Amino acid sequence: MAIRTFCLSLAAVATLSNSASAALKHLYTFNDGAVTDSVGGANGTLEAGAVIVAGQLTLSGGGQFANLPAATIGINAYTKTTLELWVNAAPASNNQFTMAAAFGRHGNAGAGAGEDANLGYDYIMVQPTRGAGELFSRAAITDGTYSEETGVNGSILAGTGQKYLAVTIDSSAGVDNTTLSYYINGALIGTANGTDDLADVGNAVAYLGKSVYANDPYFTGSINEFRIHNDVLTPAQIAASSTAGPAGLAGPTLTINRDTGAVTLSNQQAAIQVFSYSITSASGGLNPASWTTVAGHFDSAGNGSFDSNDAWSTTALTKTAITEEEPFGDGGAEDGGTLGTVTFSTNGGWIKSFREDVAITTQALINGVPTTLIPDIKYVGNGGQPFKRSDLNFDNVINGNDWIVFRNNNLVALDPNLSDAQTAALGDLNGDGVSNFLDFRVFQADFDAANGVGALSALVGAVPEPSSFAIGLSAVSALLLSGRTSRRRTTV
Ligand SMILES: [Ca+2]
Ligand SMILES: [Ca+2]
Ligand SMILES: [Ca+2]
Ligand SMILES: [Ca+2]
């Protein structure tokens, strides 16, 4: 009976975690100087000399565009979508049919397809400028070519400065029943209904600044940010987005990826000369073995990507502290390195843990004066949530699998070389270096909070226990009676 109860609760948890929530799926801010999808990982490429200037995709015409991985994005798998763009259409685009964003395919004239290779087919377009005599903008979807479009025309954009464009498309009402709405600067311009479903959109190309029509001019201007949602934002949400604006350029920021352990120090604003940094974690959440030091890698002794004219020295490289500096008075340039982006670790530099206690201090030259500069710290990944204490296998559920890990390590001597961040994953939840009854109480509380009062007792009673744990439970009593406490080792 107890087993059955527990299985039901696991199924309930699985249902919760599988209910995909409507959300922002892809985000291109261009603020890191690349066509990076910071939400969905569908990174794009700059084509034909397209550049990013101050966080904006900047297209000067003549074939420049950003190419996005259409199949990876898979917009035709959605039943609803919202596209958001901050666009500045240059006067040069006036009188031209351009596309700031386009999903679809080019015409296929071969193999009896009977299509015109110069035309676009099965597309969604955000068209900031149109041809002579039609100087308005337009958003449309089609399951054929231009003559089958369902779309809405808006005001003239070219030469009017940065505009926020939003297009919502809803094909959830059934086959051949799609509603498209077009907004400019948060205000609804119009709504159209037609038979052009999202499922009919081609999945061959996704462009920013290039048309699916082969002979259309390339968009001239800039795109500050592009977002793709798999839902229809409400008018209130679009108005709020318009008010909030695109993401600004971030100052110095230490970014820690919970999923990969990647650690990066970056700065999207004007370059800063940094001449030392100190990164610490009281629980020992740093992994020197997966850390790439400035010294010997990014300094004059390495590839010079951070500091080309000074040799740095590493003054600490442990799980609790990593510090480096450009030595003063060594005859070097004394101007530190130019931040930029320094990738300390692409994988495993941060040890997965429910504790997020990393701190960073840097010394920088601000207007030529040595100044203490504290970067922001940003944890990303794991759906935007810290790991839960007692989720020992880091799958965001506290269940029987975590219990097995806990049980197998409880009252077992843990490797004294492990830091608190590492022993936590073995069940030392209070960070005293041993996994004992005190940790059991913490685990039990977390388990029952996640699965219901008495859930752990039901599980332990239901699952045949290896004899080792039976012994362990006896030992727990002995531990409590002895009142023994343990504090071991310095953490390095
Ligand atoms: Ca931007
Ligand atoms: Ca230097
Ligand atoms: Ca778990
Ligand atoms: Ca403990």
Side-chain angles (χ1 to χ4, degrees):
M1 183 61 77
I3 287 176
R4 180 181 176 82
T5 304
F6 184 70
C7 289
L8 284 173
S9 68
L10 280 185
V13 167
T15 302
L16 280 176
S17 61
N18 285 342
S19 64
S21 58
L24 176 65
K25 304 300 284 185
H26 303 280
L27 170 63
Y28 303 86
T29 68
F30 310 109
N31 289 355
D32 67 345
V35 189
T36 303
D37 174 6
S38 57
V39 170
N43 298 338
T45 52
L46 295 167
E47 303 293 340
V51 293
I52 291 171
V53 178
Q56 303 201 38
L57 173 64
T58 302
L59 306 170
S60 302
Q64 298 179 350
F65 69 105
N67 204 0
L68 307 183
T72 304
I73 294 169
I75 200 163
N76 54 8
Y78 300 168
T79 56
K80 303 176 184 179
T81 190
T82 300
L83 306 178
E84 297 181 274
L85 302 85
W86 279 265
V87 170
N88 194 334
S93 279
N94 231 336
N95 299 334
Q96 297 181 341
F97 288 93
T98 65
M99 293 188 187
F103 296 86
R105 63 182 182 87
H106 296 278
N108 176 13
E115 295 181 349
D116 185 335
N118 290 322
L119 300 186
Y121 288 83
D122 301 337
Y123 56 83
I124 300 167
M125 69 169 186
V126 182
Q127 188 167 54
T129 64
R130 289 171 65 76
E134 306 180 87
L135 301 175
F136 39 80
S137 61
R138 180 172 171 83
I141 182 172
T142 180
D143 61 4
T145 185
Y146 61 90
S147 51
E148 286 85 31
E149 285 181 2
T150 298
V152 173
N153 291 344
S155 55
I156 294 171
L157 299 182
T160 60
Q162 179 171 281
K163 291 289 192 296
Y164 165 62
L165 310 180
V167 183
T168 67
I169 300 172
D170 187 345
S171 296
S172 67
V175 176
D176 289 346
N177 186 355
T178 287
T179 300
L180 178 147
S181 295
Y182 179 36
Y183 299 75
I184 299 177
N185 281 356
L188 178 65
I189 302 303
T191 293
N193 185 269
T195 62
D196 308 287
D197 298 327
L198 267 170
D200 298 330
V201 171
N203 215 8
V205 298
Y207 299 139
L208 295 177
K210 177 177 178 176
S211 173
V212 289
Y213 287 78
N215 295 327
D216 279 354
Y218 288 77
F219 172 65
T220 304
S222 59
I223 300 173
N224 196 330
E225 187 162 323
F226 180 48
R227 303 175 184 170
I228 304 170
H229 303 255
N230 68 344
D231 197 9
V232 168
L233 297 188
T234 64
Q237 287 173 316
I238 286 171
S241 226
S242 180
T243 301
L249 295 170
T253 304
L254 187 74
T255 302
I256 297 169
N257 188 309
R258 297 184 183 97
D259 300 324
T260 64
V263 182
T264 304
L265 178 61
S266 61
N267 169 41
Q268 298 169 346
Q269 298 179 353
I272 296 171
Q273 300 303 117
V274 172
F275 60 90
S276 76
Y277 76 86
S278 169
I279 298 175
T280 58
S281 165
S283 67
L286 308 174
N287 183 3
S290 296
W291 201 269
T292 306
T293 55
V294 170
H297 298 99
F298 307 131
D299 62 354
S300 62
N303 64 14
S305 61
F306 173 60
D307 190 338
S308 60
N309 58 1
D310 291 300
W312 280 52
S313 63
T314 304
T315 47
L317 189 61
T318 72
K319 290 173 185 167
T320 54
I322 298 179
T323 61
E324 293 193 85
E325 64 184 24
E326 176 214 318
F328 186 76
D330 63 342
E334 316 290 14
D335 61 355
T338 306
L339 189 68
T341 297
V342 177
T343 301
F344 292 121
S345 177
T346 56
N347 200 314
W350 179 72
I351 296 167
K352 280 186 181 179
S353 164
F354 70 90
R355 297 188 183 92
E356 298 190 343
D357 63 357
V358 173
I360 178 170
T361 300
T362 70
Q363 300 291 324
L365 292 171
I366 306 293
N367 297 325
V369 179
T371 305
T372 298
L373 180 74
I374 313 287
D376 289 336
I377 294 186
K378 187 173 158 193
Y379 290 86
V380 299
N382 195 43
Q385 298 298 315
F387 292 113
K388 297 175 172 72
R389 188 179 62 181
S390 298
D391 174 18
L392 303 186
N393 65 354
F394 304 104
D395 64 355
N396 293 312
V397 257
I398 299 173
N399 62 19
N401 292 330
D402 304 299
W403 166 246
I404 290 169
V405 175
F406 183 88
R407 181 194 65 191
N408 289 349
N409 293 284
N410 191 241
L411 299 174
V412 172
L414 302 179
D415 181 346
N417 293 314
L418 299 181
S419 69
D420 291 350
Q422 293 170 307
T423 60
L426 300 172
D428 171 23
L429 299 172
N430 65 356
D432 63 359
V434 294
S435 178
N436 60 21
F437 187 69
L438 298 175
D439 304 292
F440 175 79
R441 295 298 292 268
V442 174
F443 184 87
Q444 182 180 38
D446 289 346
F447 194 97
D448 284 4
N451 300 291
V453 174
L456 185 60
S457 295
L459 176 70
V460 172
V463 178
E465 284 305 308
S467 57
S468 63
F469 191 71
I471 294 167
L473 286 177
S474 306
V476 163
S477 305
L479 270 178
L480 285 176
L481 287 172
S482 73
R484 176 188 139 204
T485 59
S486 170
R487 182 71 220 178
R488 61 88 173 86
R489 93 256 186 274
T490 53
T491 304
V492 292

